[in-house]
Amino acid sequence: MRIANAIFPWAAGLSILLFVFAIPIALVTSPPDYQQGDTVRIMYIHVPSAWSMMMVYGVMASGSAAFLIWRHPMANLVAKASAPVGAVFTALALVTGMLWGEPMWGAFWVWDARLTSTLILFFIYLGYLALADAFEDPERGDKAAAILALVGSVNIPIIHFSVEWWNTLHQPSIVSTSGLSLSGEMLLPLFLMLGAFTSYYVAILVLRVRSELLNAKIRNARVSHTALGQAAE
């Protein structure tokens, strides 16, 4: 809790500061694309959302692995606290991708490899959340959800490399072996938004972990109270 209380104001303050600077640049002053026009501004929401959904899943999978291997309770708390946030980022990436795709491809949805693998990731997030609460024994639910998180991590490199492995409609990655595909005027707001999304996740994660810790303390106190009551009888 001491660590969480120390991190939260810095993460929250940095997120607010970056959003305040980035949003006007991204949505107003940044130049339109020579092909996409002002539609390219969706990129400043879509790309950070896509980056965040994979980053959060990496944290969730790592926490699940630590929980299964070393039985570390904090790792499980971090994984459980990350899952709803990652699901929201994935939904935002899907929605903005559809809005971006309609003027580019002529349809809101195509069964493109990148879009399909992202949709699968969204279902994995939902499955994790459902499994964690599907058992009367919380430990069984946590184990089942952690196993799903580890199995689902196979989908992360598929999402990232799908535009290189298959012939897809999705735009290529901004960062590739040939360098950056955007001008500096577009990279500045994009990196600011990436920082804003990342620090926002850290702030929300701290809030959710603190909430999970307090809930765990309450549950343990209730169990102890019940056990003492039964012993007294």
Side-chain angles (χ1 to χ4, degrees):
M1 291 293 285
R2 286 195 299 270
I3 295 173
N5 290 333
I7 291 175
F8 175 73
W10 291 96
L14 180 61
S15 178
I16 294 171
L17 183 64
L18 289 174
F19 272 122
V20 167
F21 276 101
I23 289 176
I25 300 174
L27 302 183
V28 180
T29 63
S30 65
D33 185 72
Y34 74 99
Q35 287 182 321
Q36 303 177 37
D38 286 326
T39 305
V40 76
R41 299 186 192 282
I42 299 174
M43 170 187 68
Y44 300 118
I45 304 297
H46 176 71
V47 173
S49 300
W51 149 255
S52 298
M53 74 181 186
M54 292 190 288
M55 174 193 64
V56 173
Y57 196 90
V59 173
M60 191 175 79
S62 300
S64 297
F67 171 65
L68 290 173
I69 297 170
W70 295 292
R71 311 296 300 163
H72 200 296
M74 272 303 301
N76 185 51
L77 284 179
V78 170
K80 291 176 67 176
S82 297
V85 187
V88 171
F89 281 139
T90 309
L92 185 58
L94 286 169
V95 171
T96 53
M98 292 166 63
L99 294 174
W100 197 0
E102 199 279 332
M104 295 297 102
W105 308 331
F108 284 107
W109 183 266
V110 293
W111 291 103
D112 177 87
R114 175 65 66 84
L115 271 68
T116 304
S117 54
T118 300
L119 181 63
I120 292 172
L121 181 66
F122 181 63
F123 289 144
I124 293 173
Y125 271 121
L126 296 182
Y128 179 94
L129 292 170
L131 272 178
D133 296 325
F135 297 88
E136 292 185 4
D137 182 3
E139 186 174 354
R140 290 182 61 193
D142 291 343
K143 284 182 179 179
I147 292 171
L148 175 63
L150 290 181
V151 173
S153 62
V154 176
N155 192 41
I156 298 301
I158 293 176
I159 295 174
H160 181 72
F161 294 107
S162 57
V163 294
E164 299 177 15
W165 291 347
W166 295 286
N167 184 21
T168 68
L169 292 173
H170 196 280
Q171 290 89 342
S173 299
I174 294 172
V175 181
S176 64
T177 55
S178 59
L180 299 174
S181 59
L182 293 177
S183 65
E185 293 175 307
M186 292 182 173
L187 285 175
L188 174 61
L190 180 60
F191 284 146
L192 287 174
M193 290 295 285
L194 285 170
F197 271 66
T198 302
S199 54
Y200 172 80
Y201 161 65
V202 173
I204 296 300
L205 176 64
V206 169
L207 285 178
R208 289 190 55 80
V209 167
R210 287 198 308 193
S211 176
E212 290 285 348
L213 285 171
L214 291 174
N215 288 334
K217 288 182 178 180
I218 292 172
R219 286 195 300 269
N220 291 336
R222 287 176 177 173
V223 170
S224 300
H225 180 74
T226 303
L228 289 173
Q230 292 175 348
E233 293 176 358

